[in-house]
Amino acid sequence: MDATTCLKSLLLAISQYRNSRSATNASQLKTQIDDLSGVKCGRLLVSGQVLPSECLSGLVELVGDPNTCPALTGTIISLLAQLAADNESREALHSRYNLTGTLASVIHCNSATPREPVVLQCLQVLQKLTYSMRIPHCTPYMDELIAFLIQHVQSPNEDITMPCLGVLANLCRSNLFVQTHVKSLSHVKAFYRTLINFLAHSSLTVVVFALSILASLTLNEGVGEKLFHAKNIHQTFQLIFNIIVNGDGTLTCKYAVDLLVDLLKNPKIADYLTRYEHFSLCLSQVLGLLQGKDPDSAAMVLELLVALCSVPGLRRQLCQTVLRAQGPRLQALAKKEGRGQWVEPDPGLALLQWASLPLDGPEACYLQALSLFAELFEEVTVSVPSGSAQAFLDLLLPVLLGLLQGPSIPLSELQLKKHCVRAARVMDLLLVLSSDDAMKMQVSQQLSSQLCVLQVELLLSSSHMDMGFSCPATSSDLSQVGAEVILKVLQLMSRLKQLVRDMETSFYRILQDQRMVTPLSLALASDHREHVQTALRILLEAAPLPDFPAVILGECIAANNAYRHREMELSMQSPPNLGRSLAPLTAHPPTSSQSIHNLIEKLQSSMELQEQVKDVRVSEIMDVYEQKICALASKEGRLQDLLEAKALALSQADRLIAQYRCQRAQAEAEARKLASLLKEAERRKEELQGELSTQMLEAERAKADIQQLLQHNTRLQAESQEHQSLKGSYNELLHRYNECERMLKELQAAHISLNKQTDTLRKQNESLKVHQDRLLTQLAEQEEQIKGLDSGLQERRAEILDLQQELKRQDEHSRERETERKDMEDTIDMLRKDLSKTELAKKDASIKASSLELQKSQLEAKLQKKEEELSKHTQMIAMIHSLSSGKLKNETVNLSL
């Protein structure tokens, strides 16, 4: 089944379910959604066509309707989640269909039951939908969504905590309204404490989400000063680089890169990172991720490297790592690769590989790589000598010129837009290289004028650039990008026109091409300052050329301004938004009757605009009507698709017959309106043809005038030389006049200021006179006091003389005391020496006394033992004396004698 049939069946199923919310219709609609998911027609759904827009609008309306079956709501949200994975589809769902407000309303309706699967689905889709997207605070149910997220971030349910943190991190990032609303909450301090507690969580994803929210809310406040202080920031850097290098899932790495990019916007933290001691190691590890990584990871790494270039110190270090340190090795590495030898990963070669990806490759990778090269070589031109990068430039230039080569097959609109965007980045890099003299010579040796001419011719020959001055300048993004590329190519040719062969001739030939009117008018009416300045520089070089279409350029700019003025008036007349309750319905495309009326108004406004233009060629008028007819044909095709869908509904349900007939009658009435409009346009065309014939007569008269002007031109050429000399003197006089006028303005301003000062001084003088009279009276009184003080002063002087004599006597006495003090000090020194000797002798005596006391104690112990032995012997003798006879006694006595 093809995509168109699936969409028609889906539109019918949506209509049936709206009319009757039965289980059968819900099941049939669910089946149609599943079939559409299998077809994979995501780009068709967000293409802006009528049938896909009707289907998506119906699905979004059903999601926002609280009466829709929960199972059906989950199925629709699953389909929307598939669409939100693509960046272009995500942008369309947010801006064109207001899916963010619809999902917020679903969460608000189910806030009482946060564990429902539909709530978790909505949070997951919101996390995809709000990533890198600025959500206006006027979005429906935004305050309720923020309150729900903050409430469940602090809840113990971890299943819903992580998606709530992710959505809140997306909403707070670079959104001042959301940040102000969160800070104004009464319980914001408790919320801060919860986020700080999450920094110790086991999941690195939760840690990164919490850090991102804290950085968005508190980076410039007291809490942020403490959290991101110099003592703590090094740990934060280490954590972020560990997540980026080691990885904890693509989502976590992506948010870690975004967090570091946001932190680098703070000058203080950027300065901390320049002084981070491990930055060189972290930088080499990050550059190593460019080897063999998937495109999503490489795009994140390249985005981080481009963000690092916003800090001058980091850009210088990155340039030294990629270009200056590795540049001399690249040619040797290339030779080794040719011989089949193994070489270590080199960041310069990795960047070259990502920059040289084909057009259908990952767009973010090669665009970021080219932007990084532009930043690095801009640093080369500022601080690093250009000779250090020449070895790398020899490898880079062939790659850049190869990217500018025209395709061998015709490109589609999407491919042509990609080619223009990449060519714009390449031209930016070449313009940076051409700003340095040495690298400029190197570029001129490899660049050819034919390549530049082919690039300009490819874009000028496309239908988006051949619009003429009757078409709006803002009708196509592709035309804007193509005009930017053309002007950058011309700027490069202007710089190299003296160095490259045939470059000057090709440059002036392109400037005189009438097709250059479109890119110049687009650039002059652009909102970008650089585009306007570039267009003015090119216009200054093109204006003196004889065949430059200056008149057509003026008419084109006037027509574009008139169209913008008309569009502004129509936008101011459009009805305002109906309010919050009808927010999901604002994404619906206008009905067929409204589109017909808008088409009629635009056609009439274009006709009125064409009536103001008198010098329009026939081909340009035909182009206008061809475009209008093509628009009518596309509208008719879209109406035919709707009619076929209604016919299918008629065959499946008899109750829709009356509604179908009514719509068919309405379509026929609109067709009759279109027919009458076409007749009116044909009549207007015939009138314009009559005017054209009169203009042709005027053109013949103009030819005769031209012949006379040619004769007059010969006389003017002689006068032009005199005009050139007068022009130089005029410029000098004009410069002197401007200087005199500037000095006059300065003198007038000084005169006015001096007049004001004179008035103030006059007032001050009057007040000072009054003050002077008062002071004179006070002065007379003080003179009398001074006379009295003089007499007292004489007495004081006499007392001072007496005191001085007394002081001299005291000085003599102090000198005597000083001599006595010195004698006493000498005596004290001698006594101190004697005292030290005495103390030494005392110490020796104490040592000897201690040894004698020890000997005394030992002798006393021995004496005590002898006395004990003697007492024992005495007792034994007494016993023997009592037991023995007298003889023995006599003997004992004799013995004792």
Side-chain angles (χ1 to χ4, degrees), residues 786-802:
I786 288 170
K787 290 179 181 179
L789 291 173
D790 285 338
S791 60
L793 183 61
Q794 295 296 332
E795 296 175 357
R796 295 291 182 182
R797 285 178 180 175
E799 292 177 358
I800 288 171
L801 291 174
D802 297 337

Side-chain angles (χ1 to χ4, degrees), residues 449-450 453 493 502-511:
S449 61
Q450 184 180 4
V453 172
M493 294 176 70
D502 296 334
M503 183 68 80
E504 186 174 10
T505 305
S506 303
F507 175 66
Y508 289 125
R509 185 170 62 251
I510 292 173
L511 289 181

Side-chain angles (χ1 to χ4, degrees), residues 215 219 228 236-237 240 259-266 269-270:
L219 190 57
F228 298 100
T236 305
F237 289 152
I240 294 174
L259 173 61
L260 187 55
V261 170
D262 292 340
L263 291 177
L264 287 175
K265 296 177 182 178
N266 188 301
I269 296 181

Side-chain angles (χ1 to χ4, degrees), residues 639-857:
L639 290 174
Q640 186 64 31
D641 292 338
L642 286 175
L643 289 176
E644 291 178 0
K646 298 304 179 183
L648 183 60
L650 179 62
S651 62
Q652 295 183 3
D654 293 337
R655 62 181 177 273
L656 298 177
I657 293 176
Q659 181 181 0
Y660 169 72
R661 289 176 178 175
C662 180
Q663 291 179 353
R664 183 174 180 179
Q666 184 180 3
E668 289 176 353
E670 292 171 354
R672 286 193 294 271
K673 290 181 181 178
L674 284 175
S676 62
L677 181 61
L678 287 175
K679 290 179 181 179
E680 182 65 23
E682 289 178 355
R683 183 185 63 78
R684 184 61 186 164
K685 180 181 177 182
E686 292 175 355
E687 293 177 358
L688 291 175
Q689 285 179 351
E691 295 179 0
L692 181 62
S693 61
T694 57
Q695 291 178 1
M696 290 177 66
L697 293 175
E698 292 179 358
E700 292 179 356
R701 296 172 185 170
K703 287 181 181 179
D705 295 337
I706 288 172
Q707 295 296 330
Q708 296 178 0
L709 290 174
L710 289 175
Q711 296 175 0
H712 185 61
N713 189 25
T714 55
R715 296 191 299 269
L716 291 177
Q717 286 179 354
E719 296 177 359
S720 64
Q721 297 178 355
E722 183 181 358
H723 172 71
Q724 292 295 332
S725 60
L726 293 174
K727 188 176 181 181
S729 60
Y730 169 74
N731 290 330
E732 295 178 359
L733 292 173
L734 182 62
H735 178 70
R736 291 171 58 188
Y737 171 74
N738 292 331
E739 290 292 330
C740 293
E741 188 175 2
R742 182 181 60 80
M743 292 175 63
L744 177 61
K745 291 180 180 178
E746 293 177 355
L747 291 173
Q748 287 177 350
H751 177 68
I752 293 171
S753 62
L754 289 174
N755 286 334
K756 293 180 180 178
Q757 292 178 3
T758 304
D759 295 335
T760 55
L761 289 173
R762 186 181 297 108
K763 293 178 181 178
Q764 291 177 359
N765 189 17
E766 293 175 355
S767 62
L768 288 174
K769 284 181 180 179
V770 177
H771 187 63
Q772 183 182 8
D773 296 336
R774 193 182 304 121
L775 288 176
L776 288 174
T777 57
Q778 293 178 0
L779 184 60
E781 296 175 356
Q782 289 180 358
E783 284 179 353
E784 295 178 356
Q785 294 177 0
I786 288 170
K787 290 179 181 179
L789 291 173
D790 285 338
S791 60
L793 183 61
Q794 295 296 332
E795 296 175 357
R796 295 291 182 182
R797 285 178 180 175
E799 292 177 358
I800 288 171
L801 291 174
D802 297 337
L803 291 173
Q804 285 178 351
Q805 293 175 359
E806 182 68 24
L807 181 62
K808 288 179 182 180
R809 289 193 298 270
Q810 292 291 333
D811 289 338
E812 292 176 357
H813 184 68
S814 64
R815 290 192 190 98
E816 294 175 358
R817 294 293 183 183
E818 184 68 22
T819 55
E820 292 176 0
R821 186 182 65 78
K822 289 182 180 179
D823 295 337
M824 293 295 292
E825 286 179 354
D826 295 337
T827 307
I828 289 170
D829 291 337
M830 294 174 63
L831 291 173
R832 282 176 181 173
K833 292 178 182 180
D834 295 339
L835 181 62
S836 62
K837 291 179 182 180
T838 306
E839 288 179 353
L840 290 173
K842 181 182 177 181
K843 188 181 292 184
D844 294 336
S846 63
I847 292 171
K848 290 179 181 180
S850 62
S851 62
L852 290 174
E853 287 178 357
L854 180 62
Q855 291 176 4
K856 176 184 176 183
S857 63

Side-chain angles (χ1 to χ4, degrees), residues 355 366-374 400 403 422 425-426 429:
Y366 57 74
L367 292 181
Q368 292 284 5
L370 291 172
S371 298
L372 181 58
F373 275 131
L400 296 180
L403 296 177
R422 185 174 67 176
R425 298 290 176 92
V426 173
L429 179 53

